[in-house]
Amino acid sequence: MSEIKTDKLTGVGTAGVILVTGEGNSTTTNLQQGLTKVWANLQGSDASIRDSLNVSSSTDVGTGRETITFSNNMGNDDYSGQMSSTGTGSPALFFSRIRVLSTSQFGDDAVNNNGGYTDAGIICYSINGDLA
């Protein structure tokens, strides 16, 4: 088994382009494109950050409504934002919907099966796309 230790990887032709051969050895993936650019794990009751990457702050906008602000902006608002959460109380959390999708922020509304806003136990975000 080989081991490579380094503090920095740079592409030869273009600094940010490093291709990785896929599992089937027939395709390649751009390493930079495949990395999550933002992720956060929030406490649902007050939107406090439990842990995160590239998140400068979080805001509790109201019951079931949170917004995270990125430390480094996305290149555009065409990124992919995912969220998941733990349901609490009765009625339990039914779904989340995107409320804010901008280059500097991402936010959601957590809605219960009665159509009202509800605080989730824990909220997790993952953002994939291009940084500015």
Side-chain angles (χ1 to χ4, degrees):
M1 178 183 283
S2 298
E3 180 178 347
I4 298 173
K5 292 183 179 184
T6 183
D7 290 326
K8 183 177 181 181
L9 294 173
T10 303
V12 175
T14 303
V17 176
I18 298 172
L19 299 179
V20 178
T21 302
E23 297 82 2
N25 294 324
S26 61
T27 60
T28 57
T29 299
N30 181 320
L31 180 63
Q32 186 176 23
Q33 287 292 311
L35 298 174
T36 297
K37 303 308 188 316
V38 179
W39 65 263
N41 182 314
L42 306 181
Q43 185 63 45
S45 59
D46 62 4
S48 59
I49 300 171
R50 300 176 70 225
D51 202 357
S52 68
L53 170 72
N54 195 21
V55 174
S56 62
S57 66
S58 62
T59 305
D60 187 351
V61 180
T63 300
R65 306 177 85 199
E66 297 79 24
T67 301
I68 58 173
T69 301
F70 309 144
S71 300
N72 298 289
N73 287 351
M74 300 300 289
N76 55 51
D77 64 0
D78 296 335
Y79 56 83
S80 175
Q82 298 80 38
M83 61 201 129
S84 61
S85 58
T86 59
T88 59
S90 180
L93 178 66
F94 182 64
F95 70 93
S96 293
R97 61 182 172 220
I98 296 171
R99 180 177 41 77
V100 176
L101 182 72
S102 73
T103 58
S104 62
Q105 293 184 319
F106 183 79
D108 74 294
D109 291 338
V111 180
N112 62 38
N113 57 4
N114 288 339
Y117 296 120
T118 187
D119 281 337
I122 296 172
I123 305 157
C124 299
Y125 298 100
S126 178
I127 309 294
N128 297 292
D130 298 326
L131 289 174

